[in-house]
Amino acid sequence: MKFFIDTANLKEIQEAVELGVLDGVTTNPSLMAKEGIKGTDAVMSHYRQICEMVDGDVSAEVIATDYEGIIREGEALAELHPNIVVKVPMIRDGVKAIRYFSEKGIKTNCTLIFSAGQALLAAKAGATYVSPFVGRLDDIGADGMLLIQQIVDIFSNYGYPTQVLAASVRHVPHLIQCAELGADVATCPLSVITGLLHHPLTDKGLATFLADHKRVNE
Ligand code: G3P
């Protein structure tokens, strides 16, 4: 399973890189705004910096919602760096643009996926990744993990190469369930990745090992 970090914060990205388990980065306009990145030049330069830090795919989202605009923005983003994956929303013009990018060899991540039908459509258009939003489905009382299961099964039935990128992964149990279900990738905040480190019996066991070592070595 690949781990992506869902942030535009360079310090957090660096921390995940240093842990040695990071496979890529996802961003979105809300995450860019959270870092105060505004204006095309600043946005492009920020994406370039992220690409230089990480040896893996970096999703950069278009803002346009019309076909020509999505193509224009997506091509400019793709030219920035080979790591760039153009993130396109699940809308009619987005699906058409994914087909175009796929034929041009430009990687895509179809975002804002909330149904199996949307994922199937994106896969048929040639998306590299689909991003089902687990946590946001849970927020409205739906079952985010059921969607992951459906998409994994459908893609496996037909051998679609599109990868299931579980997004809106909010906590460690979400991440583990995505892994159990066979999601190709999970993108989550740094706290979820580092959350995998912890177990109280690990802390207790280590304290005992160190205390026993000290007792006989003093
Ligand atoms: O990148 C999109 C997704 O991961 C957002 O997560 O927690 O804002 O629903 P969240």
Side-chain angles (χ1 to χ4, degrees):
M1 181 188 217
K2 286 188 270 187
F3 284 180
F4 287 3
I5 189 168
D6 195 29
T7 185
N9 182 285
L10 301 181
K11 268 182 69 179
E12 289 178 5
I13 293 169
Q14 187 55 34
E15 197 177 325
V17 167
E18 282 167 14
L19 192 58
V21 297
L22 191 68
D23 300 297
V25 178
T26 53
T27 62
N28 62 42
S30 304
L31 294 170
M32 293 292 277
K34 194 171 160 195
E35 300 307 312
I37 318 293
K38 55 181 178 184
T40 309
D41 289 351
V43 166
M44 294 305 220
S45 139
H46 201 76
Y47 283 139
R48 204 177 290 108
Q49 279 187 76
I50 294 175
C51 289
E52 278 159 14
M53 293 168 72
V54 179
D55 183 18
D57 284 347
V58 174
S59 285
E61 190 160 341
V62 298
I63 305 300
T65 54
D66 64 294
Y67 178 74
E68 285 76 17
I70 294 172
I71 300 297
R72 194 170 48 248
E73 284 181 26
E75 287 186 327
L77 287 166
E79 267 177 29
L80 272 180
H81 197 282
N83 289 0
I84 289 284
V85 175
V86 180
K87 204 172 182 189
V88 179
M90 169 38 75
I91 53 175
R92 183 183 295 262
D93 282 17
V95 172
K96 287 166 61 181
I98 287 168
R99 164 56 58 203
Y100 171 89
F101 290 133
S102 158
E103 281 164 11
K104 288 255 167 184
I106 293 174
K107 290 176 283 182
T108 54
N109 174 357
C110 187
T111 190
L112 292 166
I113 296 283
F114 291 96
S115 75
Q118 291 178 324
L120 180 56
L121 196 58
K124 283 190 68 68
T128 313
Y129 298 101
V130 288
S131 287
F133 279 32
V134 170
R136 291 193 194 182
L137 279 169
D138 291 357
D139 289 346
I140 61 159
D143 186 347
M145 286 305 154
L146 178 62
L147 179 59
I148 298 294
Q149 176 78 76
Q150 288 177 314
I151 301 173
V152 167
D153 287 349
I154 290 169
F155 287 6
S156 149
N157 285 346
Y158 295 97
Y160 286 122
T162 303
Q163 295 179 55
V164 181
L165 193 171
S168 188
V169 169
R170 305 263 178 80
H171 46 65
V172 168
H174 265 163
L175 182 53
I176 299 305
Q177 287 173 66
C178 287
E180 285 177 333
L181 293 173
D184 300 283
V185 189
T187 191
C188 46
L190 179 64
S191 59
V192 177
I193 298 174
T194 56
L196 296 172
L197 287 164
H198 304 298
H199 193 285
L201 291 179
T202 303
D203 300 339
K204 191 176 170 215
L206 183 60
T208 306
F209 288 157
L210 296 180
D212 288 345
H213 174 82
K214 192 173 173 197
R215 189 164 41 78
V216 295
N217 284 281
E218 275 181 346

